[in-house]
Amino acid sequence: DVQYTPVVRSRSTSIRASEGDSLDLNCDVDSNPPSTVTWRKLGGDIPRNGENIGGTLRLPTLDRTAAGVYQCQANNGVAPDGVSSVTLTVKYPPRITSRFD
C-alpha cells in the first residue's frame, strides 16, 4: 500500500455568482490515505452560514461580503499538505444610501 501526499484540484480558479445565489465550492483530492479537507477564506472569515461537507464548501445565500479568495487544504498525515484556491466574485445591484442631517 503506497502512501502519497494529497494532490488537490479546484474545479475552477475563478467563479462569478450573484448576491442571493447558493454556491458550492468544490475541491477534488487524490491521496492515500484519504485526506481531511478544510476551507478558509484568505484575509477574512468564511460566512457564518458556510458549511464544509466532505470537501465541498456550501454557501447557501451569498452576499457581497462573501467575495474573496477561498483556499482548500487537504491533509492526510503525509507532508506536504495539498492546497488549492478559488476566487469568488459576487455581483450585486447598486445600493444608494442617503444621509439626512
Side-chain angles (χ1 to χ4, degrees), residues 19-98:
E19 193 170 50
D21 286 354
S22 295
L23 180 68
D24 288 346
L25 298 178
N26 298 295
C27 197
D28 295 325
V29 179
D30 178 27
S31 67
N32 190 38
S35 294
T36 300
V37 176
T38 55
W39 284 89
R40 65 184 182 138
K41 182 180 177 190
L42 302 183
D45 295 324
I46 290 177
R48 274 189 275 250
N49 62 357
E51 188 178 10
N52 187 9
I53 304 168
T56 296
L57 179 62
R58 177 158 292 152
L59 302 171
T61 307
L62 294 176
D63 67 18
R64 60 192 76 196
T65 64
V69 178
Y70 290 80
Q71 188 176 72
C72 69
Q73 181 173 358
N75 179 314
N76 70 345
V78 181
D81 291 353
V83 177
S84 185
S85 298
V86 59
T87 301
L88 171 61
T89 302
V90 178
K91 300 179 289 182
Y92 54 89
R95 181 182 300 169
I96 299 172
T97 57
S98 58

